[in-house]
Amino acid sequence: MEKFEHKYNAEQIQVLDGLEHVRKRPGMYIGSVSVRGLHHLVYEIVDNAIDEALSGYCTEINVTIEPENIICVEDNGRGIPVDIHQKTKISAAETVYTQLNAGGKFGGDSGYKVSGGLHGVGASVVNALSEWAEVTIQRDGGIYKMSFERGKTKESLKRIGDSKKTGTKVRFLADNTIFETLEYEYEILENRFREMAFLTKGLKITLEDLRGGTPKKADFCFEGGLNSFVEYLNRNKEALHSKPIYIEKSGEFPVEIAIQYTSSYSENIYTFVNNINTIEGGTHLEGFKRALTKTFNDYAKSKNILKEKDANLQGDDIREGITAVISVKVKEPQFEGQTKTKLGNSEVAGIVQSMVNDKLSTFLEENPNIAKTILEKCVSASRAREAARKARELVRRKSALESTTLPGKLADCSSKNPEECEVYIVEGDSAGGSAKQGRDRRFQAILPLWGKMLNVEKARADKIYGNDKLNPVILAVGAGIGNEFDITKIRYGKVIIMADADVDGAHIRTLLLTFFFRYMRPLIENGNVYLAQPPLYKLSKKGIEDIYCYTDDDLNTAYKDLEEKGILREQLSLQRYKGLGEMNPDQLWETTMNPETRILVKVTMEDAMKADETLTLLMGDSVEPRRDFIIKNAKFVKNLDI
Ligand code: 28F
């Protein structure tokens, strides 16, 4: 290998500092060095290719997970420019890969930098966080190649051959001295690329996994764009109208919206800004909701479906059973919220609102039967809400009479400061009993739940209030539900779901997550919902402390550590916990409730959305998809976790 001599000029030293900073503070650039951060590396590279597609020059992107977790991304765009920068004496391509936010891709040709979860930190960050990376460019009749090690140029760009094709290919190996794991999760990448293909009409994205025994391959291309997206989201539901409502506006702030109602009661509105999934919503969603309510009410009044004297249909009524995807492109997006996924640009609300008012009313005029079908559902939802209000009044009056506003089963804690208090929602009375005895009653409350919860998939709001299994949860949390939910009223800073690691536990977890996602969403957005992680195994032997293992890996590590101390497997007794009830109060406290030793998993919006989708699959009306899901997951049934 020839000795690599390079005199760095002032500018290049600044570049090195930049990439050194990235390696010192990777979390600032890609959020974390967990598997989520690892996936961001792939999204960042793919987003640059998507940008080339948005500019109209790339029609295909191929992603390959090669053995040893090397990633290869290839597009058939124009190829990153290879001309030499007169100032820096290095090529545009090398600049893009060695300077932070270089290359003016931010707001480039298409004007909208499509950016990964952390909003387009640029390819140079991926380079800095890779043990090595190599870029092959085909353009202007030639093939060019350059390579890097931990962000530093190893081989500058040079022409290595001729080619008639154009495009960019990037291969990289993430740096295992930075990331906790290099193991990519195929399903996670598959879901994200499916979403990107839906959002970029006509673009073909392929994903191939060459690591394990059976190679896996996925192919996504949707000429239908967002229409295909809502049909996919409704694949396990019964649509009320076969043709989705599709409205769009081009111009400075392009807006695309697809809507398809189903017979379910849930509301699923997905919003994107520059292809970023804004799961916390924002101004685009607010504008959409306002216009949807106004347009449907105006139409209902004009067609006498609603009498003048009738009260207006409320937003909840109109959004019952809706599945919608809203995709806007914004040059300078402002992201807010807990996970920077809430759109803040105020001008977007008005743009979306006026576009929906205008184009949706035209659609309804031109499709009266679809309009009628949807409005019939809204009117019946409105009647059910009215019934729910009455039911709630009844419950309130009844409970006011009994003046016990807290559920009988709740073993409350003595502190009343929500900041420090936590409530464990425990499956089953036996575990509930041990939890009550084992807990620290100063700040830990216990709410035992029994038997199968109500199937929120099939229930309307009125059934939720009156339901004797969910009502205790509503009263314990103390902040109401639906659009009456007021996060400032929560009685506990942590709501912890503690259920067995078996199928029943997974079912209860799914139902509770779906319930929180649908009726107490701010609780999840605000990071108040957690899952308790009870141990799976206990290793014990006379004379040594019991060892608790939370995963199979933990168990293997424990065996190895003990072997090093001369204790062999045969000398140990292994207990596999089937359920929480097998632990006595002290063990439950020590392994699962003591803040010093327990493991809690904070529930994210993605977890909740996935639970919601899984619930629809498991509990929805259509049978085949449920059977497919169970067969597909049967082999993991011991971990049928959400
Ligand atoms: C596998 C990852 O990164 N594809 C890319 C292009 C194309 C251009 C470009 C990229 C202009 C000067 C900043 C080509 N011709 N795939 C990719 N394809 N970047 S990244 O330009 C970079 C900016 O430097 C491109 C004309 N204009 C732009």
Side-chain angles (χ1 to χ4, degrees), residues 45 48-49 52 73-75 78-81 92 96-97 103-105 109 139 168-170:
I45 298 297
N48 286 334
E52 189 60 359
V73 184
E74 183 161 16
D75 74 35
R78 294 167 289 184
I80 311 178
V96 168
Y97 268 76
K105 276 297 270 175
D109 319 342
R139 63 177 285 137
T168 304
K169 178 169 85 167
V170 179

Side-chain angles (χ1 to χ4, degrees), residues 4 70 219 225-226 352 631:
F4 180 69
I70 292 166
D219 234 309
L226 296 195
V352 172
I631 291 167

Side-chain angles (χ1 to χ4, degrees), residues 186-201:
Y186 179 84
E187 279 71 27
I188 291 187
L189 294 175
E190 182 186 34
N191 284 333
R192 178 61 183 152
F193 295 147
R194 179 188 297 112
E195 193 176 86
M196 298 302 274
F198 280 130
L199 292 163
T200 321
K201 192 186 302 189

Side-chain angles (χ1 to χ4, degrees), residues 358-404:
D358 170 32
K359 306 215 175 216
L360 178 58
S361 45
T362 307
F363 181 93
L364 297 180
E365 289 300 333
E366 291 168 359
N367 299 272
N369 42 7
I370 294 183
K372 185 167 164 297
T373 311
I374 293 172
L375 275 162
E376 274 163 6
K377 182 166 174 58
C378 300
V379 169
S380 76
S382 159
R383 293 209 179 101
R385 180 173 43 78
E386 204 35 43
R389 202 183 49 71
K390 290 198 180 65
R392 203 160 49 249
E393 280 317 304
L394 197 67
V395 166
R396 278 208 189 111
R397 247 201 312 284
K398 193 161 72 68
S399 60
L401 291 179
E402 289 151 19
S403 79
T404 53

Side-chain angles (χ1 to χ4, degrees), residues 42 44-53 55 57-58 61-62 72-83 85 91-93 95-97 102-106 108-109 123 135-137 139 167-171:
V42 188
E44 194 44 52
I45 298 297
V46 169
D47 285 343
N48 286 334
I50 297 258
D51 247 3
E52 189 60 359
S55 308
Y57 296 97
C58 155
I61 302 173
N62 303 310
C72 177
V73 184
E74 183 161 16
D75 74 35
N76 63 352
R78 294 167 289 184
I80 311 178
V82 294
D83 49 296
H85 238 264
S91 64
T95 308
V96 168
Y97 268 76
K105 276 297 270 175
F106 221 99
D109 319 342
V135 181
T136 310
I137 297 166
R139 63 177 285 137
T168 304
K169 178 169 85 167
V170 179
R171 291 182 69 242

